[in-house]
Amino acid sequence: MKSIKGILGSCASARSLFFITVIVLALPNVALCFTERMSLAACLANVLLPVGAEWLLMTLNRCPGKMTWAMFLLVFFAAFQLVLLYLFGNSIIAVDMFLNLVTTNPGEVFELLDNLIPGVIGVLIIYIPVLVMAVVSIRRKDRLAPAFMSRQRRYAAAAVAAGALCLGVSYASDADYRAELHLYPANVFYNLGLAVERTNATAGYAETSKDFTFGAKATHPAANREVYVLVIGETARACDFSLYGYDRPTTPLLEGTDGLVAFPKAVTQSNTTHKSVPMLLSAVSAENFNDIYGQKGIITAFKEAGFHTVFISNQMPNHSFIDFFGEEADEWMFIKEKAGNNAALGDEAMLPEVRKVLAEGRRKEFIVLHMYGSHFNYRERYPREAAFFKPDDATEAKAKNRPSLVNAYDNSIRFTDRFLHDIMTEVGKTGATAALIYTSDHGENIFDDDRRLFLHASPTPSYYELHVPFIVWTSAAYRREFAPVAQALAANSGKLMSPSASAFHTMLGLAGITSPVRNDSLSVASTLFAVRPCLYLTDHNSPVPLRKMLRSGNDFKMFKKKGIGL
């Protein structure tokens, strides 16, 4: 016991704490040199300049404990960055990471935290003792000698100067290099600023979009009863749908459904819910995403065209664009909120609500359903009796548990298959001219290759997060009355498309709604549909070719295997 106290006392000494603080703050800088694509000059700048600056900051007060706590935000970011690297293996703390903190369902957060315990414990072991030692140092009123402080200032200034020189070389040798993007922690503070800016812009959405109109008009016969349904899935990846050739029977009901057209080459433009779902609910895409602050969603377009509109979500509201667009409907409900955020509430709970809406017998009905889908913890997404693939009881995020995790995930896809079939059946019973679109916001990593990636929303996306299902179902009445549209769907089914860009325009095309915003070259229900290169919406809301975002040969191999050319 005495020896342990002696070690702690030695570490808590003024000089030791001074250097320990500098070292633990430098850990992310060093780690990022190995995980990111950087030139030698950029790596040196990424270590020497920030570490030198932090070293210099430590000399501002002779009590090192006070300076350690004064830099608490840097300590927090360092811990956050290391956990991020543990989870995804690369990338700095992105804008989307900050936004996810305020838009993610609390239930999802706790489920995720349960599986980040090793990474969280690791950073706690590193950083909590430093903060404790800083408190001890303050209470002991430790003071560093003036000569020591003067000497450290000289060393730190030399490091800053060397780092600045390397920064200049980086700018001179790499046209794409920018400190606010590539220099930690400057990039983190820059991203935090953008996150705050976007949060404020989102908060003002009601004002900035109040005068927007689609100028939408209906062209189908007013006497016809029409029902259109947009179903937005969550975390469903196309490669686990037997509808697309997967070797396990995950979608047996969809495969036997008349009037269903599957699109096997659908690629989302974002792997984060707070971007991908708003793109599905509006006319914006990666090419014009920032227009979202001044536009309304697809529900308003249908309302302008005379449709009664309903939004039903199995998610918790989070004051995001998903909520804003959903609440444009004549009727909207978040069933999970009504159930007290019961994370086990299945998507089938939306079915009775759909039946109630259809029973009203309105002539023009538009329904949007937002599923909970296949979010982790996968085995909570379906009833126990619906477990087809077993064993499915593993919940720990470990590569060794992959077989059980995949079984649970595939069971969730199979349950989605049943849910979609039930919705189509209920709509079909009305005899209405009807159509349904189903797609997912993004996919999921499940320890699929040697990268051992898990979950989604990684700053650098993978194939498994990007290749998503997209299907269109039309009723017998629809196919009879609008045969050319059904033929266009079939003709376009084998083409590369992005639900992020096409869902809005396809849905309006199916419903015969005209609007200056509607673009038939983006609608797979039109003969004018044109194939476009795959784009990805970056953390800074810039559209870039998807091939530039992928960093692993595994991803290119998978896209090639699926016949998807980037």
Side-chain angles (χ1 to χ4, degrees):
M1 184 63 70
K2 288 183 179 180
S3 61
I4 294 176
K5 288 183 177 179
I7 293 172
L8 291 175
S10 176
C11 290
S13 70
R15 288 195 178 199
S16 295
L17 180 59
F18 182 98
F19 291 117
I20 289 173
T21 300
V22 173
I23 290 170
V24 298
L25 289 176
L27 291 178
N29 298 83
V30 175
L32 288 166
C33 289
F34 292 96
T35 65
E36 307 308 296
R37 293 173 175 174
M38 293 191 204
S39 65
L40 177 59
C43 284
L44 291 173
N46 193 56
V47 174
L48 292 173
L49 186 55
V51 175
E54 291 158 355
W55 194 352
L56 200 57
L57 286 173
M58 285 297 293
T59 68
L60 295 181
N61 193 295
R62 290 177 60 193
C63 178
K66 290 182 178 179
M67 288 312 303
T68 298
W69 272 100
M71 294 193 291
F72 175 78
L73 189 57
L74 290 174
V75 173
F76 174 78
F77 283 155
F80 191 172
Q81 180 63 70
L82 292 179
V83 171
L84 179 65
L85 292 177
Y86 169 81
L87 180 61
F88 295 124
N90 58 63
S91 295
I92 55 95
I93 303 171
V95 179
D96 290 337
M97 291 295 163
F98 289 116
L99 295 176
N100 283 339
L101 292 177
V102 296
T103 60
T104 300
N105 181 332
E108 287 181 43
V109 172
F110 287 117
E111 288 177 342
L112 175 57
L113 287 177
D114 283 344
N115 292 276
L116 286 178
I117 288 176
V120 172
I121 289 177
V123 298
L124 290 180
I125 289 174
I126 294 172
Y127 293 100
I128 293 298
V130 176
L131 295 173
V132 171
M133 287 187 292
V135 172
V136 172
S137 176
I138 294 171
R139 291 174 64 88
R140 292 194 316 200
K141 299 182 179 180
D142 284 337
R143 293 293 184 270
L144 292 165
F148 174 86
M149 300 291 280
S150 178
R151 187 164 58 253
Q152 298 309 314
R153 287 192 191 100
R154 290 197 299 272
Y155 295 154
V160 169
L165 177 62
C166 293
L167 183 67
V169 173
S170 298
Y171 271 104
S173 60
D174 185 353
D176 294 327
Y177 183 88
R178 292 168 59 190
E180 67 268 30
L181 302 181
H182 303 103
L183 184 68
Y184 176 91
N187 44 22
V188 177
F189 283 103
Y190 177 71
N191 288 343
L192 177 60
L194 287 178
V196 172
E197 180 182 313
R198 290 183 197 172
T199 300
N200 291 335
T202 301
Y205 170 73
E207 181 64 25
T208 56
S209 65
K210 66 179 182 180
D211 297 325
F212 180 82
T213 178
F214 285 101
K217 297 180 181 178
T219 61
H220 288 175
N224 284 12
R225 184 180 182 188
E226 294 184 283
V227 178
Y228 297 99
V229 183
L230 172 61
V231 184
I232 299 176
E234 286 275 351
T235 323
R237 59 189 204 176
C239 61
D240 282 60
F241 278 57
S242 53
L243 185 68
Y244 296 122
Y246 186 43
D247 60 5
R248 307 180 87 181
T250 54
T251 54
L253 297 175
L254 290 178
E255 291 165 45
T257 300
D258 290 336
L260 187 141
V261 179
F263 291 75
K265 298 179 182 180
V267 181
T268 183
Q269 293 182 339
S270 175
N271 62 350
T272 62
T273 297
H274 74 269
K275 285 183 176 178
S276 54
V277 173
M279 284 192 280
L280 296 172
L281 288 173
S282 70
V284 303
S285 66
E287 291 185 279
N288 63 339
F289 187 80
N290 285 324
D291 290 349
I292 197 169
Y293 300 105
Q295 294 189 14
K296 294 188 182 296
I298 190 172
I299 288 173
T300 291
F302 271 82
K303 286 176 69 175
E304 289 180 9
F307 280 74
H308 178 267
T309 57
V310 179
F311 177 78
I312 306 172
S313 173
N314 192 24
Q315 303 269 342
M316 287 290 289
N318 55 20
H319 309 293
S320 69
F321 279 101
I322 301 172
D323 298 0
F324 302 156
F325 292 151
E327 291 170 7
E328 292 172 7
D330 297 299
E331 300 177 45
W332 51 268
M333 65 192 77
F334 295 87
I335 61 173
K336 195 177 289 291
E337 184 179 37
K338 292 168 60 177
N341 193 25
N342 178 5
L345 189 66
D347 290 320
E348 74 278 7
M350 292 190 285
L351 191 57
E353 303 297 339
V354 172
R355 291 194 182 105
K356 292 177 186 177
V357 172
L358 296 176
E360 295 292 330
R362 284 177 280 262
R363 305 307 298 172
K364 307 293 180 181
E365 193 78 65
F366 179 53
I367 304 171
V368 177
L369 304 177
H370 187 194
M371 300 173 62
Y372 206 69
S374 298
H375 263 292
F376 186 81
N377 181 354
Y378 312 130
R379 71 173 186 172
E380 299 293 338
R381 305 287 82 86
Y382 53 91
R384 289 290 83 207
E385 63 271 16
F388 184 84
F389 305 104
K390 298 180 180 179
D392 64 339
D393 54 352
T395 60
E396 290 186 286
K398 296 180 179 179
K400 69 177 183 179
N401 291 335
R402 185 176 189 275
S404 182
L405 292 170
V406 170
N407 284 342
Y409 183 83
D410 286 350
N411 283 334
S412 74
I413 298 298
R414 192 175 170 93
F415 194 63
T416 293
D417 174 67
R418 181 199 297 181
F419 174 73
L420 293 174
H421 179 266
D422 289 346
I423 295 295
M424 294 173 191
T425 299
E426 293 298 326
V427 173
K429 288 178 183 178
T430 66
T433 299
L436 176 148
I437 289 178
Y438 164 76
T439 189
S440 181
D441 57 349
H442 50 69
E444 183 85 324
N445 296 299
I446 316 177
F447 302 111
D448 299 285
D449 52 41
D450 56 7
R451 291 172 292 180
R452 297 193 173 189
L453 299 176
F454 190 58
L455 302 178
H456 58 271
S458 56
T460 303
S462 74
Y463 156 81
Y464 300 97
E465 297 171 90
L466 298 170
H467 186 196
V468 294
F470 186 87
I471 63 173
V472 181
W473 169 80
T474 52
S475 68
Y478 189 98
R479 297 193 298 277
R480 285 194 301 270
E481 186 158 0
F482 302 109
V485 177
Q487 292 166 3
L489 288 169
N492 291 324
S493 63
K495 298 176 182 178
L496 176 66
M497 56 85 64
S498 174
S500 310
S502 293
F504 174 91
H505 306 281
T506 301
M507 197 84 251
L508 262 63
L510 287 168
I513 296 174
T514 62
S515 163
V517 179
R518 174 177 147 185
N519 183 349
D520 283 350
S521 72
L522 292 170
S523 169
V524 294
S526 170
T527 56
L528 299 178
F529 175 73
V531 175
R532 287 170 165 79
C534 289
L535 295 177
Y536 184 81
L537 183 63
T538 68
D539 185 54
H540 294 144
N541 286 357
S542 299
V544 299
L546 178 57
R547 63 181 180 277
K548 290 187 176 181
M549 290 297 301
L550 302 178
R551 292 179 53 173
S552 171
N554 293 319
D555 297 320
F556 289 99
K557 288 178 183 177
M558 285 302 300
F559 276 117
K560 184 177 181 180
K561 179 180 177 181
K562 300 299 180 179
I564 299 175
L566 302 179

